[in-house]
Amino acid sequence: MSTKGTNAAISRRASALIALLSVLLASLGVAGTAVAATRGLGLHAPFSPPWWVLIPAFVIASNLSIDFEFRREARSVAFSELPLAVGVVFVAPWFVVLAFVLAVIFDSVVLRRQQPLKLLFNVSVAVLEAGSALLVLSLAGLGDTPDYRLWLALFVGLLIGEAIGQLAMTAVMHWLGVVVHRAQMLPPLVASAATTLVFTCLAIMAVTSVWTEPLTILVIAALAGLLTVAYRGYRRLSAQQQSISDLYAFVKDLGPMTVDDPSSTAVVDTIRALLHARFLTVAICDSSAGCWRYLHARDPDDPEPDTELYSALTEENEPARAAAMQGRTSVDADRMATPLVGSRGLVGILTVTERLGDVRDFDMGDLRLLETVATELATALERGQLLADLGRAATLDPLTGLPNLVEACSRLNDMIENSPHGVLVAAVAVDSFREVNDTLGHEVGDDLLLEVTRRLTVTSPDALVGRIGGGRFAVAVPVSTSGGDPEMFGLGIRAQVEGGAQLGAVGTHVRLSVGCVRAPEHGTDAATLMRRAETAMYGARHVHGGPVLWEPAYEVEGQRRLAVVTALREGLASGAIGLAFQPKIEVGTGRVTGVEALARWTHPALGAIRPDEFIPLAEASGLMGPLTSTVLRQALTACKGWQRRAPGAGVAVNVSADTVLDQAFVTEVAAILTSVGISPELLTLELTEGVVVADPGLASERMGELRSLGVKISVDDFGTGYSSLTYLKGLPVDEVKIDKGFVDGLVSESADRAVIRAVVDIAHTLGLRVVAEGVEHEEQDALLAQLGVDEVQGYLHGRPMAALDMAAWLRKRETARR
Ligand code: C2E
Ligand code: CA
Ligand code: CA
């Protein structure tokens, strides 16, 4: 029995102890031999061969060993006990010892080239084994001829020698620093008892047959030789079969594999075990990272620490790796390296070091196995890489390399799951991205995004940053690492990203809009959180970038808006939009000068919806055109109906800015007037100041065109927006409507009175009529009359009412006036 793997230089102390032990063993052996030589064995062999015949017998027998591997220990049972057992019977004791010692020396020095210390130890073990066998035989009181007593004595004597030899071996291993567990000591003892039993049986047979016929020794030797050869053949075959079935199992389970797979360590360890190697290294070319990455495996029984060892191995393996790089497989006694070649070229290099057990080194059989494994491993790695590449393409944004929306959501879900204290999510829009893209080109736009990506990703290492659309990003962090305040989080992002940026030759300023949410308060799944963060982000655009924290109201509003727009589209198509009419009264005379048409809409499910709600939505969703058309048509039709009752009482229709500025509107108004068959003077179009401010030139051009149809123009909500009395001068306008706000403050606020007075003065100077709206009280009415307002409109004189009610109201009023 011997061990391998202790290459460290043997310490002085260990050498001294081993030498001392060797001397002790040899002395015991010599003593035993001396006793045997003086007492004699009692056997009287019929002949005695020359003692030196034993030397070749010992040499041959010790090399006729059978091997087996037990865990990483290789066990080798030599046949030396056989010539020893036969020798002690036929040759004088001192000569048996001499022959054994000479054979060991020859074997150790010539055949195995062992160190002197090992030679000394082996010699002394030989002396001890021979001595103990001789001692027991001499003490056994044997008969003249070989019988069971001879067999028993041989068995006991050889076993004692073997046991002492093994104890000595254990001591030596201990001194050499090899850890020997108690559990590891028993199996070899049992094994040697078994082999000793076999050898003594063989020996007794040999002795009895040689006793009568010396030449039968040849037959026995031949038989032993044959058995050895047969056993070795069987061993090789079963080992091969084992490797083949292991290989098959390995290949069967081998799927696409990458370095990062948790399962890859198990795979490389299987390969290591398959190749009976102490160490294995797979160097993998990582094309995406542009470097080598390593997988290691080592024999689990190995006592040495990984890290140092692996770096040492990596160095030692360098020449073999270099060869593999060139596509060559190399093998030497304790190292094999082979390139892993896939269909697209080199994917890695597989290196194994030190064959387990010292029975044999790596040989051609191992090499073939290595190459087969390498082919399979290369395919698995290549497929793994291919899958990883495909996965990357589907999950990462190609420009920035950041996770895309889908991937960001899936990683956010993971983060939520692993963050017991919650997660902060920010949706970030690069405000100037569109402009940069449109005005400076896509390349500069890309540079801007890359710069933003760089600034976003230098935050905390556990932040998740994704690109979720054009110039939009998402950033998420666990609350535990961020403090948990969404406002601070959003401000932090802005502080980090905003500021000047040099994009090639172009300098620009990065500004963000940031919307924040917090899980679990604002949602527990990534999709909801992302959507809500984005809603808040859009809100942030109106408040200088925010950050804006999402509120449940956003969702309700958003849903309501969506429902209203959908319903409005249907309502317009089905004629569900109706009108209410509110009279305008001339101050002083009380005459009804006209009525204002106000859109009304009652939805079967949503109920009555106020114009303040649906008009802005109609404007935002492009429904203003059809809405104005239906209002115009209904208003003019109604107006025509009450002309008999109140001749000259016109109708005022509110028109939004976009509608007025659209040239088609002029044509449409003319067409409706014609189709209804009503005089254009009866129609007043109420526009807000905003129309004019946006594009004064165009506005005045359109207003001029409308006026030339014969239609009157009124400026609604006068005094609220960009109020400037001066711009009225150049405009084709007939009337101004003083906003309800001024009328409200009329009684209590002298400032409001002053405004109204100024408006009246200027308007009258320009030849415009002045209407006050929202008149609710007599007091207001009286004051307005005093201030010189021409007409009043408000709940005091008449609430907005349906067309039929309006007709009835007019009739009643006419009757009353007469
Ligand atoms: P507006 O043009 O200033 O219309 C006057 C609003 O004041 C109307 O509200 C009317 O009902 C209300 N009102 C009238 N007298 C009084 C009063 O004495 N007290 C109070 N508290 N309110 C009074 P309404 O009908 O809800 O319309 C709101 C706004 O919706 C209108 O403001 C107008 O800008 C817009 N709108 C209504 N119908 C149309 C339409 O057909 N087309 C367009 N483009 N806008 C419309
Ligand atoms: Ca109005
Ligand atoms: Ca108004």
Side-chain angles (χ1 to χ4, degrees):
M1 190 184 78
S2 60
T3 53
K4 187 177 177 177
T6 45
N7 300 333
I10 299 168
S11 76
R12 274 236 181 112
R13 182 173 164 272
S15 313
L17 285 171
I18 293 169
L20 204 69
L21 180 69
S22 304
V23 173
L24 183 71
L25 295 178
S27 315
L28 281 175
V30 169
T33 315
V35 173
T38 32
R39 281 182 58 110
L41 302 186
L43 280 166
H44 293 288
F47 65 95
S48 181
W51 67 274
W52 51 261
V53 181
L54 281 178
I55 300 174
F58 273 121
V59 171
I60 293 168
S62 70
N63 283 291
L64 265 190
S65 55
I66 53 173
D67 313 322
F68 55 98
E69 282 169 26
F70 176 74
R71 287 161 69 85
R72 55 178 294 241
E73 221 66 68
R75 306 208 190 284
S76 173
V77 179
F79 280 33
S80 345
E81 285 181 346
L82 198 55
L84 182 61
V86 179
V88 289
V89 175
F90 293 102
V91 178
W94 288 114
F95 286 107
V96 175
V97 175
L98 183 63
F100 199 3
V101 167
L102 288 176
V104 168
I105 291 174
F106 177 80
D107 196 59
S108 187
V109 173
V110 180
L111 299 183
R112 298 183 201 238
R113 298 176 194 278
Q114 280 168 338
Q115 293 166 342
L117 193 62
K118 196 160 185 185
L119 170 66
L120 175 65
F121 181 74
N122 286 350
V123 166
S124 42
V125 169
V127 174
L128 172 84
E129 282 182 359
S132 70
L134 285 165
L135 179 67
V136 173
L137 282 175
S138 70
L139 296 177
L142 301 174
D144 277 355
T145 50
D147 57 14
Y148 74 94
R149 281 171 297 177
L150 171 63
W151 171 76
L152 201 65
L154 272 176
F155 181 60
V156 173
L158 289 174
L159 201 58
I160 290 173
E162 181 75 13
I164 297 176
Q166 258 177 37
L167 276 176
M169 191 68 206
T170 308
V172 168
M173 292 211 289
H174 177 73
W175 293 329
L176 289 177
V178 178
V179 185
V180 185
H181 299 287
R182 204 166 289 168
Q184 282 179 317
M185 288 166 60
L186 198 64
L189 268 176
V190 174
S192 47
T195 49
T196 304
L197 185 68
V198 173
F199 284 133
T200 46
C201 289
L202 282 174
I204 201 76
M205 277 156 58
V207 167
T208 38
S209 56
V210 170
W211 197 272
T212 48
E213 180 46 68
L215 282 182
T216 48
I217 191 74
L218 296 177
V219 180
I220 291 165
L223 191 69
L226 270 175
L227 274 176
T228 308
V229 170
Y231 174 77
R232 285 185 171 181
Y234 158 77
R235 275 273 306 161
R236 193 169 302 126
L237 208 70
S238 73
Q240 261 171 20
Q241 243 156 23
Q242 188 57 44
S243 326
I244 288 170
S245 74
D246 287 351
L247 183 67
Y248 177 73
F250 162 73
V251 167
K252 209 179 66 180
D253 293 343
L254 190 62
M257 171 182 158
T258 63
V259 194
D260 305 307
D261 279 346
S263 61
S264 56
T265 22
V267 172
V268 291
D269 196 56
T270 309
I271 299 175
R272 183 202 57 75
L274 211 61
L275 295 169
H276 301 279
R278 189 166 164 220
F279 304 107
L280 173 143
T281 304
V282 184
I284 298 167
C285 328
D286 188 331
S287 51
S288 65
C291 63
W292 288 97
R293 301 188 55 193
Y294 298 93
L295 285 171
H296 297 288
R298 65 179 177 86
D299 180 40
D301 288 344
D302 203 78
E304 285 163 84
D306 321 8
T307 40
E308 274 172 41
L309 189 79
Y310 285 145
S311 50
L313 273 179
T314 317
E315 253 168 56
E316 277 178 36
N317 289 345
E318 215 32 75
R321 283 239 316 265
M325 283 289 275
Q326 265 132 43
R328 278 183 284 120
T329 299
S330 60
V331 59
D332 63 40
D334 50 24
R335 197 180 323 279
M336 299 194 289
T338 190
L340 302 172
V341 185
S343 58
R344 294 186 299 175
L346 189 73
V347 282
I349 291 164
L350 170 61
T351 316
V352 288
T353 328
E354 290 188 26
R355 197 178 198 287
L356 281 180
D358 69 347
V359 171
R360 60 190 176 92
D361 292 326
F362 289 125
D363 61 13
M364 281 333 218
D366 290 322
L367 186 67
R368 268 198 303 281
L369 194 61
L370 177 79
E371 285 179 334
T372 313
V373 168
T375 314
E376 298 299 333
L377 187 61
T379 312
L381 283 170
E382 196 174 49
R383 274 159 56 200
Q385 225 161 50
L386 212 66
L387 278 183
D389 287 349
L390 280 176
R392 247 193 302 283
T395 54
L396 299 186
D397 169 50
L399 173 68
T400 59
L402 294 176
N404 60 20
L405 178 63
V406 177
E407 176 66 9
C409 279
S410 113
R411 293 194 195 176
L412 178 55
N413 275 327
D414 292 345
M415 188 186 278
I416 293 166
E417 208 162 280
N418 299 319
S419 309
H421 303 294
V423 172
L424 294 178
V425 184
V428 177
V430 183
D431 286 339
S432 49
F433 173 63
R434 261 259 180 79
E435 288 151 45
V436 168
N437 235 2
D438 293 348
T439 55
L440 303 172
H442 288 282
E443 269 171 32
V444 185
D446 286 355
D447 287 348
L448 173 62
L449 292 182
L450 287 172
E451 180 58 22
V452 170
T453 303
R454 197 186 61 73
R455 294 181 186 182
L456 277 175
T457 45
V458 294
T459 8
S460 71
D462 35 39
L464 161 66
V465 181
R467 184 181 175 202
I468 55 175
R472 287 171 296 129
F473 297 83
V475 185
V477 286
V479 163
S480 48
T481 58
S482 63
D485 181 349
E487 227 96 55
M488 293 304 295
F489 175 52
L491 283 173
I493 293 174
R494 286 191 59 180
Q496 188 186 327
V497 178
E498 290 188 336
Q502 192 64 34
L503 310 172
V506 195
T508 185
H509 197 84
V510 181
R511 287 189 37 79
L512 304 181
S513 296
V514 179
C516 300
V517 289
R518 197 162 100 171
E521 290 93 322
H522 299 148
T524 49
D525 64 294
T528 306
L529 289 165
M530 287 277 194
R531 197 184 62 234
R532 293 182 169 173
E534 274 199 89
T535 307
M537 176 192 82
Y538 286 119
R541 291 213 164 134
H542 305 295
V543 289
H544 309 291
V548 165
L549 185 62
W550 182 84
E551 283 169 35
Y554 291 151
E555 195 93 322
V556 179
E557 271 171 32
Q559 277 167 7
R560 163 99 181 166
R561 272 207 293 273
L562 200 68
V564 170
V565 169
T566 315
L568 183 63
R569 193 168 279 129
E570 290 162 5
L572 282 168
S574 63
I577 312 294
L579 293 182
F581 299 97
Q582 188 178 33
K584 291 194 276 187
I585 313 290
E586 190 173 49
V587 176
T589 65
R591 184 176 64 95
V592 179
T593 55
V595 301
E596 180 177 0
L598 296 159
R600 290 292 177 265
W601 175 33
T602 303
H603 185 267
L606 299 168
I609 299 162
R610 293 165 37 87
D612 290 328
E613 184 179 356
F614 68 81
I615 297 292
L617 286 179
E619 283 171 345
S621 49
L623 294 171
M624 219 45 225
L627 186 102
T628 309
S629 305
T630 171
V631 171
L632 264 176
R633 197 172 293 278
Q634 290 181 54
L636 289 171
T637 310
C639 177
K640 195 182 170 188
W642 67 62
Q643 283 311 305
R644 239 179 348 111
R645 193 66 56 199
V651 72
V653 169
N654 295 285
V655 184
S656 298
D658 288 350
T659 316
V660 182
L661 295 177
D662 185 1
Q663 191 165 26
F665 181 62
V666 183
T667 336
E668 195 185 6
V669 172
I672 295 174
L673 283 167
T674 319
S675 85
V676 173
I678 191 169
S679 161
E681 292 90 76
L682 291 173
L683 175 63
T684 301
L685 296 175
E686 293 191 4
L687 323 173
T688 57
E689 292 172 294
V691 179
V692 186
V693 176
D695 189 344
L698 188 64
S700 103
E701 193 181 316
R702 291 281 171 275
M703 284 153 82
E705 286 165 10
L706 288 166
R707 268 245 297 210
S708 57
L709 290 177
V711 170
K712 292 197 190 102
I713 305 288
S714 169
V715 179
D716 202 354
D717 301 343
F718 194 80
T720 48
Y722 308 82
S723 240
S724 163
L725 290 166
T726 45
Y727 83 83
L728 275 177
K729 237 186 283 177
L731 285 177
V733 170
D734 302 282
E735 173 190 286
V736 292
K737 280 183 96 169
I738 295 176
D739 189 69
K740 180 176 178 293
F742 297 100
V743 177
D744 286 344
L746 184 62
V747 180
S748 53
E749 303 287 329
S750 57
D752 289 344
R753 262 197 309 275
V755 170
I756 296 177
R757 183 174 292 122
V759 171
V760 172
D761 282 353
I762 299 226
H764 285 172
T765 322
L766 296 170
L768 312 179
R769 287 177 72 79
V770 178
V771 184
E773 65 177 354
V775 183
E776 292 176 344
H777 312 291
E778 301 278 3
E779 247 182 315
Q780 295 169 326
D781 208 41
L783 271 171
L784 288 166
Q786 246 180 49
L787 289 168
V789 167
D790 303 297
E791 292 170 33
V792 286
Q793 178 187 351
Y795 291 173
L796 178 66
H797 301 286
R799 291 196 167 241
M801 48 200 129
L804 280 177
D805 297 339
M806 188 74 236
W809 184 90
L810 279 173
R811 195 165 52 238
K812 218 168 77 193
R813 180 137 180 132
E814 279 309 298
T815 328
R817 251 168 53 96
R818 284 204 188 110

